[in-house]
C-alpha cells in the first residue's frame, strides 16, 4: 500500500488539491501513522521494505510538510541501520508511533534486531526504541544512536516489548507506554 495524505487547514471543511503519495517506491509499506502540528506542519511515518526482504524485514521512514501539504520533504529514514550488514538481512523495525508539538517530533517503534546475530537467524525479543527531533525532523537525536526505553529486565534473558504508544505536550512532557512481558504476562 502507498502512504497517501491530504491536508485541510480549516477543521476538515475543505480539502484543496489532490491526495499526495508520500512514497512512490515499489515496495511493501504499512503501519502508516500521521500527526498534524499547528502552522501547517504534519509528519507521516511508516514501515517500509525498500531495502528488500519484506515481511518483518522493514525499517522506519517518514516525510514532513511545513506548508500545509503543498509539498513534502524527501523520504527520511528514522531508525539507524547497521552499516556492516545488508539491510535486507537485518531490519526488524515495526509498530511505529509518533507525536509532535511545535518543531519537536518524537518517533518510537518496536525493534527486533539481534545484537549478536546480524542475520537475525535467532529469535530475539522486541525492544522499544526512540529518536526525536527539535527542528521539524530535519535531523534526529541522538545523532548516531537510538534510545532504548524498555531497559531493566530482571529475568536472565530479555523479555518481549511491543506495541508502543506515545504522547507529548508543548511543556516538554513525553510519555511512552508499551506492552511488556517481563513480569510473565503481557503488561502495560
Amino acid at each position: 500500500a502507498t502512504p497517501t495524505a491530504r491536508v485541510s487547514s480549516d477543521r476538515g471543511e475543505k480539502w484543496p488539491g489532490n491526495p499526495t503519495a508520500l512514497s512512490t517506491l515499489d515496495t511493501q509499506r504499512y503501519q502508516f501513522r500521521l500527526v498534524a502540528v499547528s502552522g501547517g506542519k504534519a509528519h507521516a511515518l511508516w514501515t517500509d521494505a525498500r531495502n528488500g526482504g519484506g515481511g518483518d524485514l522493514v525499517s522506519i521512514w517518514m516525510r514532513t510538510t511545513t506548508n500545509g501539504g503543498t509539498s513534502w520533504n524527501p523520504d527520511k529514514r528514522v531508525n539507524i541501520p547497521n552499516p556492516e550488514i545488508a539491510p535486507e538481512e537485518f531490519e526488524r523495525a515495526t509498530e511505529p508511533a509518533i507525536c509532535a508539538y511545535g518543531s519537536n517530533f518524537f518517533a518510537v517503534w518496536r525493534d527486533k534486531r539481534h545484537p549478536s546475530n546480524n542475520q537475525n537467524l535467532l529469535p530475539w525479543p522486541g525492544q522499544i526504541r526512540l529518536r526525536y527531533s527539535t527542528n521539524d525532523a530535519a535531523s534526529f537525536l541522538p545523532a548516531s544512536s537510538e534510545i532504548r526505553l524498555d531497559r531493566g529486565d530482571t529475568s536472565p534473558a530479555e523479555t518481549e516489548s511491543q506495541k508502543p504508544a506515545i504522547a507529548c505536550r508543548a511543556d516538554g512532557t513525553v510519555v511512552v507506554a508499551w506492552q511488556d512481558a517481563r513480569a510473565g504476562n503481557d503488561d502495560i
Side-chain angles (χ1 to χ4, degrees):
T2 300
T4 304
R6 202 157 179 197
V7 178
S8 169
S9 60
D10 60 1
R11 293 172 297 288
E13 291 181 25
K14 296 179 188 145
W15 296 87
N18 292 319
T20 301
L22 298 180
S23 180
T24 58
L25 299 173
D26 187 19
T27 64
Q28 294 177 339
R29 295 170 303 271
Y30 46 95
Q31 298 178 329
F32 182 66
R33 308 291 186 258
L34 182 69
V35 63
V37 186
S38 63
K41 299 176 190 176
H43 304 284
L45 186 75
W46 64 91
T47 58
D48 194 313
R50 71 180 63 193
N51 293 324
D56 67 346
L57 296 175
V58 294
S59 51
I60 308 295
W61 290 81
M62 70 164 300
R63 289 184 79 182
T64 296
T65 180
T66 58
N67 58 16
T70 301
S71 63
W72 291 78
N73 70 349
D75 292 13
K76 179 176 289 215
R77 186 184 184 133
V78 178
N79 67 308
I80 298 175
N82 181 337
E84 300 172 12
I85 304 302
E88 66 272 10
E89 297 175 352
F90 198 66
E91 294 303 323
R92 299 265 198 239
T94 62
E95 301 175 2
I98 57 175
C99 71
Y101 65 89
S103 296
N104 299 285
F105 169 87
F106 301 85
V108 355
W109 64 93
R110 175 189 188 203
D111 198 303
K112 292 188 64 123
R113 291 179 285 186
H114 193 294
S116 63
N117 182 307
N118 290 335
Q119 278 76 38
N120 273 321
L121 300 176
L122 301 173
W124 189 254
Q127 301 174 349
I128 305 303
R129 303 281 180 144
L130 175 133
R131 289 188 84 200
Y132 65 96
S133 172
T134 59
N135 57 7
D136 290 322
S139 62
F140 290 104
L141 299 168
S144 60
S145 66
E146 301 161 347
I147 299 169
R148 181 173 174 205
L149 298 177
D150 66 324
R151 296 195 177 278
D153 293 26
T154 57
S155 61
E158 292 192 46
T159 56
E160 180 73 26
S161 297
Q162 60 186 339
K163 298 182 176 75
I166 188 167
C168 54
R169 298 189 322 202
D171 68 0
T173 301
V174 180
V175 179
V176 178
W178 61 90
Q179 186 175 316
D180 193 301
R182 72 182 68 211
N185 300 311
D186 283 333
D187 297 324
I188 296 187

